[in-house]
């Protein structure tokens, strides 16, 4: 079985369309979204609509939760967020806020006898960063009951074995922090013999379109340039 794990779209409809097009070409059996559909980007309602239309199972991200709350509940109070949060809270339709509010904080699957947990941040907190070399990640993996943990939130894709456990981070579809504008997501193939193959997909998309849209809406220059540089 082949699974596509996507996350951190952040209102970037152009990158999402490119990634979904690639997923269709990869002939996956299941696509799972790990949240943060909104925040930062100029097209949050379009992103939510596309995820809903494709009936993609989705969990709640920390930015989704904060937009629903209209407060810095689960995000940092930075100069960019001081613009992005109120903008998104105003822009996201009430029906889409309700959809975001109802999303679960984790999803669990058993595929060919392999147990997978999907979270946005970590199993402990929606906004906990799990970097592959960090001590908290090691602790999380040591206590993990499932065979595979798939998370996101860092916007940096990674894959690492912790003993017999597998750690996977999807990276970001819509606002990468990999030093380039490219979108990333992860393909996970689980074979009948329980062999797990992981592949990070990195895709170019027309990022100049979102730059133009953000400029027209008078988004902060630092936010606009982050789409070009692939940095925070």
């Amino acid at each position: 079985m082949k699974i596509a794990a996507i996350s951190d779209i952040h209102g970037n409809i152009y990158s999402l369309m490119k990634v979904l097009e690639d997923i269709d070409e990869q002939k996956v059996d299941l696509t799972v979204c790990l949240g943060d559909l909104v925040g930062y980007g100029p097209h949050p309602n379009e992103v939510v609509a596309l995820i809903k239309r494709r009936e993609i199972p989705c969990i709640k991200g920390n930015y989704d939760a904060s937009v629903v709350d209209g407060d810095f509940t689960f995000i940092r109070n930075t100069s960019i967020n001081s613009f992005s949060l109120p903008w998104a809270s105003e822009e996201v339709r009430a029906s889409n806020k309700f959809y975001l509010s109802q999303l679960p904080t984790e999803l669990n699957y058993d595929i060919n006898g392999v147990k997978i947990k999907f979270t946005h941040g970590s199993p402990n907190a929606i906004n906990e960063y799990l970097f592959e070399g960090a001590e908290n990640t090691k602790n999380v993996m040591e206590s993990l009951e499932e065979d595979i943990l798939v998370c996101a939130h860092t916007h940096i894709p990674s894959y690492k074995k912790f003993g017999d456990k597998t750690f996977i981070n999807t990276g970001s579809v819509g606002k990468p922090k990999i030093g380039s504008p490219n979108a990333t997501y992860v393909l996970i193939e689980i074979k009948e013999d329980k062999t797990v193959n992981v592949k990070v997909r990195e895709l170019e998309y027309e990022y100049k379109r979102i730059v133009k849209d953000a400029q027209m809406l008078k988004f902060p220059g630092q936010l606009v340039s982050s789409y070009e540089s692939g940095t925070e």
Side-chain angles (χ1 to χ4, degrees), residues 20-193:
L20 291 178
E21 178 183 304
D22 189 71
I23 287 172
D24 289 342
E25 292 174 359
Q26 299 299 317
K27 301 190 185 316
V28 306
D29 302 293
L30 172 67
T31 301
V32 179
C33 179
L34 278 64
D36 273 6
L37 280 64
V38 302
Y40 301 125
H43 303 293
N45 292 304
E46 292 85 347
V47 165
V48 172
L50 184 51
I51 293 293
K52 290 166 69 175
R53 186 161 67 248
R54 295 281 295 242
E55 297 183 339
I56 295 173
C58 189
I59 58 181
K60 186 187 303 179
N62 64 305
Y63 221 118
D64 301 327
S66 288
V67 166
V68 169
D69 292 350
D71 202 354
F72 293 90
T73 320
F74 300 102
I75 64 172
R76 294 170 292 165
N77 190 347
T78 64
S79 58
I80 285 182
N81 284 338
S82 68
F83 167 84
S84 294
L85 177 63
W87 189 91
S89 294
E90 179 69 24
E91 182 73 10
V92 175
R93 298 189 188 105
S95 60
N96 288 333
K97 283 184 181 178
F98 178 77
Y99 166 78
L100 295 173
S101 73
Q102 298 301 301
L103 293 176
T105 55
E106 64 177 48
L107 287 171
N108 295 277
Y109 291 88
D110 188 321
I111 298 170
N112 296 331
V114 177
K115 294 182 179 179
I116 312 177
K117 180 182 289 292
F118 293 91
T119 65
H120 180 74
S122 84
N124 302 324
I126 194 172
N127 58 350
E128 181 179 9
Y129 289 96
L130 293 182
F131 295 98
E132 65 173 44
E135 187 67 22
N136 67 319
T137 304
K138 179 183 175 184
N139 294 337
V140 165
M141 295 305 295
E142 285 177 349
S143 62
L144 185 73
E145 296 181 0
E146 292 77 14
D147 303 296
I148 302 173
L149 175 65
V150 188
C151 63
H153 187 48
T154 66
H155 296 208
I156 300 171
S158 60
Y159 158 65
K160 185 177 180 178
K161 293 288 288 184
F162 287 81
D164 60 350
K165 308 288 185 178
T166 302
F167 168 83
I168 301 169
N169 192 302
T170 65
S172 173
V173 169
K175 199 172 183 302
K177 297 179 184 177
I178 56 173
S180 85
N182 296 346
T184 63
Y185 77 97
V186 170
L187 288 175
I188 308 161
E189 186 174 12
I190 303 174
K191 299 184 178 180
E192 290 185 5
D193 64 359

Side-chain angles (χ1 to χ4, degrees), residues 216-229:
M216 289 178 61
L217 290 166
K218 296 183 170 27
F219 279 19
Q222 184 184 357
L223 175 55
V224 174
S225 64
S226 70
Y227 293 108
E228 300 173 299
S229 65

